[in-house]
Amino acid sequence: DQQVKQNSPSLSVQEGRISILNCDYTNSMFDYFLWYKKYPAEGPTFLISISSIKDKNEDGRFTVFLNKSAKHLSLHIVPSQPGDSAVYFCAARRSQGNLIFGKGTKLSVKP
Amino acid sequence: NAGVTQTPKFRILKIGQSMTLQCTQDMNHNYMYWYRQDPGMGLKLIYYSVGAGITDKGEVPNGYNVSRSTTEDFPLRLELAAPSQTSVYFCASSYSAEYGYTFGSGTRLTVV
């Protein structure tokens, strides 16, 4: 039973445009959500996070939106750059709990 | 600052062999984790530790064992390797449960 779902395995975007990566979750007890970025042959690296008491968090070109009523979060990358091409994992946790990861979305940003 | 270091990077095992995947961190993090990632799948938690001497099972612990004798090291032991254990293994650490994880670069294991 997947508690964190990333339903799009891949996404292709033109350089300079917006990339929107989506994530849905089923457990209403999750209180913290994170996005990780992973390049081939490397470990995931932390990108941005959001607490369940907020609906938006911004860090440079990256913004995460949280819609608790819909149990949905999204990562917006504006503008997209070729170096953003990677697999993006959504993760969630309950208080004091371990991270639960989605399957990932492979983003390709074309020059 | 090395962060989280995993060795080896690659390994091929024959069915029934055993091996230990090494993981060490130099950030004095209390929490350490082992995940596996199968193709097209997310990361699944194998074992975790909240401090030296304390370990607990994650989502997919069968076929694995861990120990945590020091804060720095968290080795993962595979006994009687099976083809189903072919995967990429990631070790991670964090200061506490509230913080994001720092991952190692992974160990790609193939069991034939």
Side-chain angles (χ1 to χ4, degrees), chain A residues 23-37:
Chain A
C23 178
D24 297 296
Y25 61 96
T26 58
N27 192 334
S28 58
M29 300 299 291
F30 287 143
D31 66 350
Y32 211 67
F33 303 89
L34 304 90
W35 284 93
Y36 279 80
K37 177 179 180 180

Side-chain angles (χ1 to χ4, degrees), chain B residues 41-93:
Chain B
M41 303 295 288
L43 290 87
K44 292 189 182 296
L45 183 64
I46 305 171
Y47 270 95
Y48 67 99
S49 169
V50 300
I54 306 170
T55 62
D56 208 346
K57 296 178 180 179
E59 184 182 357
V60 289
N62 291 342
Y64 307 94
N65 276 301
V66 293
S67 60
R68 184 93 182 272
S69 56
T70 66
T71 300
E72 295 77 20
D73 300 306
F74 191 40
L76 178 71
R77 178 81 177 163
L78 279 73
E79 304 282 1
L80 297 175
S84 61
Q85 293 178 303
T86 294
S87 189
V88 181
Y89 292 83
F90 291 102
C91 178
S93 72

Side-chain angles (χ1 to χ4, degrees), chain B residues 4 7 10 24 26-27 30-31 38 44 52-53 58 60 62 66 79:
Chain B
V4 177
T7 57
F10 304 93
T24 187
D26 61 0
M27 298 171 284
N30 292 320
Y31 289 65
D38 299 326
K44 292 189 182 296
V60 289
N62 291 342
V66 293
E79 304 282 1

Side-chain angles (χ1 to χ4, degrees), chain A residues 1-2 32 34 36 38 41-46 87 89 93-104, chain B residues 31 33 35 37 40-45 48 57-59 90 97-106 108:
Chain A
D1 180 30
Q2 274 188 278
Y32 211 67
L34 304 90
Y36 279 80
K38 184 184 180 304
E42 295 183 11
T45 55
F46 171 72
V87 177
F89 290 99
R93 69 157 175 82
R94 296 177 299 167
S95 178
Q96 297 296 316
N98 300 311
L99 287 180
I100 298 174
F101 287 83
K103 292 184 178 182
Chain B
Y31 289 65
Y33 311 85
Y35 283 87
Q37 185 191 9
M41 303 295 288
L43 290 87
K44 292 189 182 296
L45 183 64
Y48 67 99
K57 296 178 180 179
E59 184 182 357
F90 291 102
E98 283 75 29
Y99 285 74
Y101 299 174
T102 300
F103 282 87
S105 58
R108 182 176 295 273

Side-chain angles (χ1 to χ4, degrees), chain A residues 48-108:
Chain A
I48 192 169
S49 63
I50 187 168
S51 165
S52 61
I53 62 174
K54 296 185 176 181
D55 55 17
K56 177 183 176 181
N57 188 26
E58 194 171 352
D59 184 1
R61 296 186 297 113
F62 303 90
T63 303
V64 56
F65 296 92
L66 176 62
N67 182 334
K68 285 180 63 178
S69 61
K71 294 190 177 68
H72 176 82
L73 65 155
S74 60
L75 174 67
H76 292 210
I77 306 173
V78 184
S80 301
Q81 299 173 354
D84 296 329
S85 297
V87 177
Y88 289 80
F89 290 99
C90 173
R93 69 157 175 82
R94 296 177 299 167
S95 178
Q96 297 296 316
N98 300 311
L99 287 180
I100 298 174
F101 287 83
K103 292 184 178 182
T105 296
K106 184 176 182 179
L107 173 66
S108 299

